[in-house]
Amino acid sequence: MSDGRLGVEGPIGNLVQVLSDTIGFDFELVRPPDGLWGNKLPNGSWSGMMGMVDRKEVEFAVGPFTITPERETVCDFSAAVHTDDLALLVIRPGLTNDISGFLKPFNPLVWLLVLCSIVSVAAVLAGVVWAEGNVFGTSINKLIDKVSINIIQTIMQQGSKWMPKKDAGRLIATTWLLASFVFTSCYSGILTAMLTVPRVTIPIDSLEDLVAQTHLPWRLEAGSMMIPFLMESGDPVRQKVASKVSGTFPDCWTARQAVANGEYAALCDVTSMKKSMSWDFSTTGKCHLYIARQKVYSNAMMAMAFKNNSTFRSRADEIIMMVKEAGLLERWMGTEITNTSQCLRPPTSDKRDGFSAFSLQALSGPFIVLGFGVSVGLVSLVSELMYHRLWHFSTPVSTRQG
């Protein structure tokens, strides 16, 4: 008998022991030399545990294996032990700081319209005040400067000492005051909420997200059915997942720490991922793993692989069905998957432990803008001084004596 995981531990180990006690046979665990589940090789032979079954080196392989038509040509599968899904296992996304977060209350189109409103209202207000000055004889010195300062002070919610003298100009200025109040109130309210409520971005939640990013490599289980399945799917995204894979790992349980450390993403069965989550939370008290929402393979039938015409298979099927109907297998699996409720919650539900001071990184965006503005102002000052000095020395001075 060949076992690809952890000896006879866990639910499948319990099931093998029940088969041994009920049917009445002794067994010896034999691992495949290459440590693989088993795929068909180019020369027609099979690797891993499936190869041992095909060559009749063992009576059956525990697995459990995903039942596929190709595998059924070299073995007789038992009754399904359970059904499972396959998905992506990645490091759990956490709270992130965004240096451009102060711009996020409005989308780019809204910011563009606000900028256009500032320019257009300033131009219209200046034109109306100028026209009123010509009609009523109330011309204003430095009109453009006063209008520009008024527009900026209004949107910044600051009082302005200057106001148009006539009704048309005052109506436009008042309308701009109301619009600015709405803009500023919305911005400040949304920004406060964004700074107070934790922000979690989930960069990888599907195969499309996986192949679109470049910072996190991914690996597949060695000798599993996933690479042939992805390549034969006809879907460009799935084929890219298989062709751009950065390596393999023995099994999902072995890869749990590497995934939690953010070394790579793994394509695994959900049961193994939940078991890894349970181990992680029981060991560290925190959640470091995340299961992507998209299912790569749904309702995969998992079973043991017997050699063709095995005398044990029919009796094993009866026992497997009785164990499942009695709820024993489900209970055994439940003991392996505990402490997962917290880690199965979406990362967006993670909360800070109370209120805490914002770090420099969290508010670095406004400081960058401030530094940029001060730098441009200093450069402008130096330019003005240089221009004034050059103009002063280049201007001829006439003198008269008398």
Side-chain angles (χ1 to χ4, degrees), residues 11 72 85 154 184 290 340 370 402:
E72 287 182 310
D85 299 326
T154 300
T184 307
Y290 172 67
T340 58
L370 177 61

Side-chain angles (χ1 to χ4, degrees), residues 153 156 340:
Q153 287 180 328
M156 295 297 178
T340 58

Side-chain angles (χ1 to χ4, degrees), residues 8-22 25 27 60 62 64 78-82 304 316 319-324 328-329 332:
V8 290
E9 299 177 359
I12 302 302
N14 294 339
L15 179 59
V16 172
Q17 193 63 55
V18 169
L19 293 177
S20 173
D21 295 340
T22 305
F25 64 84
F27 61 89
F60 67 94
V62 176
S78 68
V81 175
H82 72 106
M304 297 180 181
I319 298 172
I320 291 173
M321 295 304 298
M322 288 190 294
V323 169
K324 290 175 62 179
L328 291 176
L329 190 60
W332 293 337

Side-chain angles (χ1 to χ4, degrees), residues 290-312:
Y290 172 67
I291 302 176
R293 288 189 300 174
Q294 183 192 33
K295 297 297 184 291
V296 180
Y297 195 108
S298 298
N299 298 320
M301 304 293 290
M302 314 293 288
M304 297 180 181
F306 285 78
K307 69 179 184 181
N308 288 328
N309 302 317
S310 171
T311 57
F312 292 97

Side-chain angles (χ1 to χ4, degrees), residues 32-57 65-77 223-226 228 232 305 308:
D34 53 13
L36 302 178
W37 293 89
N39 277 329
K40 189 174 184 179
L41 302 175
N43 61 6
S45 63
W46 285 75
S47 62
M49 289 183 283
M50 295 301 301
M52 298 178 71
V53 174
D54 181 38
R55 295 187 296 271
K56 296 182 172 51
E57 297 174 1
F65 300 87
T66 301
I67 300 176
T68 64
E70 191 173 35
R71 285 175 171 175
E72 287 182 310
T73 61
V74 295
C75 72
D76 289 335
F77 282 108
S224 70
M225 45 74 66
M226 286 310 301
E232 295 170 4
N308 288 328

Side-chain angles (χ1 to χ4, degrees), residues 110-126:
V110 174
W111 280 117
L112 178 61
L113 291 177
V114 171
L115 179 61
C116 293
S117 299
I118 293 174
V119 175
S120 59
V121 170
V124 172
L125 182 58

Side-chain angles (χ1 to χ4, degrees), residues 210-393:
L210 182 68
V211 299
Q213 55 83 44
T214 57
H215 68 277
L216 183 67
W218 60 89
R219 297 184 182 182
L220 302 178
E221 204 166 12
S224 70
M225 45 74 66
M226 286 310 301
I227 291 181
F229 168 74
L230 294 172
M231 292 301 297
E232 295 170 4
S233 65
D235 179 38
V237 174
R238 292 173 180 259
Q239 291 174 340
K240 188 173 182 180
V241 171
S243 61
K244 299 295 183 180
V245 65
S246 64
T248 60
F249 50 85
D251 57 72
C252 296
W253 177 252
T254 305
R256 65 191 187 282
Q257 188 62 66
V259 176
N261 294 338
E263 298 177 19
Y264 54 82
L267 195 58
C268 297
D269 61 280
V270 172
T271 300
S272 295
M273 290 192 282
K274 289 181 178 180
K275 183 178 178 181
S276 299
M277 282 184 166
S278 176
W279 163 85
D280 179 42
F281 191 79
S282 300
T283 303
T284 66
K286 297 181 179 179
C287 301
H288 300 96
L289 298 170
Y290 172 67
I291 302 176
R293 288 189 300 174
Q294 183 192 33
K295 297 297 184 291
V296 180
Y297 195 108
S298 298
N299 298 320
M301 304 293 290
M302 314 293 288
M304 297 180 181
F306 285 78
K307 69 179 184 181
N308 288 328
N309 302 317
S310 171
T311 57
F312 292 97
R313 188 179 67 85
S314 59
R315 182 64 176 141
D317 287 348
E318 296 176 3
I319 298 172
I320 291 173
M321 295 304 298
M322 288 190 294
V323 169
K324 290 175 62 179
E325 291 172 359
L328 291 176
L329 190 60
E330 183 178 354
R331 190 179 71 178
W332 293 337
M333 295 184 68
T335 60
E336 296 287 313
I337 305 173
T338 57
N339 296 329
T340 58
S341 57
Q342 178 67 26
C343 297
L344 289 175
R345 296 172 60 187
T348 52
S349 66
D350 293 344
K351 303 294 183 183
R352 290 190 180 99
D353 297 328
F355 292 97
S356 59
F358 287 112
S359 64
L360 177 61
Q361 184 181 3
L363 292 177
S364 57
F367 284 108
I368 292 175
V369 174
L370 177 61
F372 176 78
V374 172
S375 300
V376 172
L378 293 175
V379 171
S380 299
L381 174 62
V382 173
S383 302
E384 289 173 346
L385 292 175
M386 293 179 62
Y387 175 78
H388 176 73
R389 186 176 295 274
L390 292 174
W391 180 83
H392 177 74
F393 283 110

